[in-house]
Amino acid sequence: DADVTQTPRNRITKTGKRIMLECSQTKGHDRMYWYRQDPGLGLRLIYYSFDVKDINKGEISDGYSVSRQAQAKFSLSLESAIPNQTALYFCATSERGSYEQYFGPGTRLTVT
Amino acid sequence: KNQVEQSPQSLIILEGKNCTLQCNYTVSPFSNLRWYKQDTGRGPVSLTIMTFSENTKSNGRYTATLDADTKQSSLHITASQLSDSASYICVVSAAPAAGNKLTFGGGTRVLVKP
């Protein structure tokens, strides 16, 4: 019954590799977000999209890129992964005009 | 710089007891404050959302308070249950004039013991 799904759930990759994290939603929301969470720190916004043709940088976009393939899909790419990108990554969605955000289950990424 | 500070970082309570978590923020201009519950290995789930004009909101055994003058919020858990073991995250949203930017606190990790 998950409305926001993320794949993969866990991934181990090596420094320099390209990796893509995918997010899909069935909530019909226009707005989608990518966050990363590091131990003891608050979630930080990487990129967000208010519509299929709209892409915006968050506070920590360096080293990341995104693609909004459809209203329901928002992918996050690490072009050349580095160890300090090891973190928990969350996708979230929200409806226009609503304060509520709905989070996916997260992807645990380890870069060795 | 917008900041959200939560205290304590962690606490242990016995099942059935009450506890209160604190959140202090410096976000301005303010729009709303949210409390999320994050179970281990899961994404955050919203508990309450309060705007400037609201000073208390409940969701079952969770009650949040907001003092916009002192920029403080608290989350009170009543009659704790084992399932309350989780991290609780305070999130403050800036007003539309400031881009609706969200600032997340680092969370309080709660462990409820039988």
Side-chain angles (χ1 to χ4, degrees):
Chain A
D1 61 342
D3 296 315
V4 184
T5 57
Q6 293 182 233
T7 55
R9 293 295 313 279
N10 287 282
R11 180 72 182 267
I12 300 173
T13 192
K14 294 188 176 182
T15 298
K17 294 291 187 181
R18 184 179 188 275
I19 184 169
M20 178 181 289
L21 309 183
E22 300 190 349
C23 176
S24 295
Q25 53 115 346
T26 59
K27 301 186 78 65
H29 290 168
D30 291 323
R31 303 182 172 193
M32 299 186 74
Y33 311 79
W34 275 105
Y35 293 93
R36 73 176 271 176
Q37 185 177 40
D38 296 279
L41 299 179
L43 276 76
R44 292 179 291 168
L45 183 64
I46 306 172
Y47 271 96
Y48 62 101
S49 168
F50 283 176
D51 204 340
V52 174
K53 296 181 180 179
D54 177 74
I55 299 291
N56 304 282
K57 292 183 178 181
E59 59 183 298
I60 55 163
S61 59
D62 287 349
Y64 302 94
S65 62
V66 292
S67 173
R68 185 81 184 266
Q69 302 95 322
Q71 187 201 38
K73 296 185 182 296
F74 193 35
S75 300
L76 175 72
S77 293
L78 287 67
E79 298 301 327
S80 180
I82 56 176
N84 76 1
Q85 290 178 313
T86 293
L88 195 52
Y89 290 84
F90 287 102
C91 173
T93 74
S94 71
E95 197 169 18
R96 190 182 312 171
S98 171
Y99 295 139
E100 195 71 71
Q101 284 195 10
Y102 298 86
F103 287 83
T107 294
R108 184 170 297 280
L109 176 66
T110 303
V111 184
T112 61
Chain B
K1 179 182 177 183
N2 289 338
Q3 287 186 309
V4 175
E5 301 286 343
Q6 293 188 240
S7 62
Q9 283 192 329
S10 63
L11 74 150
I12 300 173
I13 58 174
L14 292 177
E15 187 178 11
K17 298 296 185 182
N18 304 334
C19 68
T20 300
L21 315 179
Q22 300 292 342
C23 172
N24 296 336
Y25 62 92
T26 61
V27 175
S28 183
F30 173 85
S31 174
N32 60 83
L33 184 145
R34 316 163 191 199
W35 282 95
Y36 285 87
K37 177 186 179 188
Q38 184 177 17
D39 292 311
T40 301
R42 307 285 292 272
V45 174
S46 179
L47 292 175
T48 64
I49 300 175
M50 289 182 292
T51 60
F52 184 89
S53 59
E54 298 172 294
N55 57 22
T56 187
K57 184 166 278 190
S58 292
N59 177 356
R61 294 177 297 99
Y62 301 101
T63 299
T65 65
L66 172 64
D67 186 333
D69 291 331
T70 62
K71 299 187 177 181
Q72 296 179 323
S73 176
S74 66
L75 180 69
H76 186 75
I77 305 175
T78 302
S80 60
Q81 300 178 357
L82 298 179
S83 60
D84 293 329
S85 294
S87 286
Y88 293 84
I89 302 171
C90 176
V91 185
V92 182
S93 175
N100 295 112
K101 183 180 184 298
L102 297 184
T103 303
F104 289 76
T108 293
R109 185 176 297 276
V110 175
L111 177 61
V112 181
K113 289 191 170 183

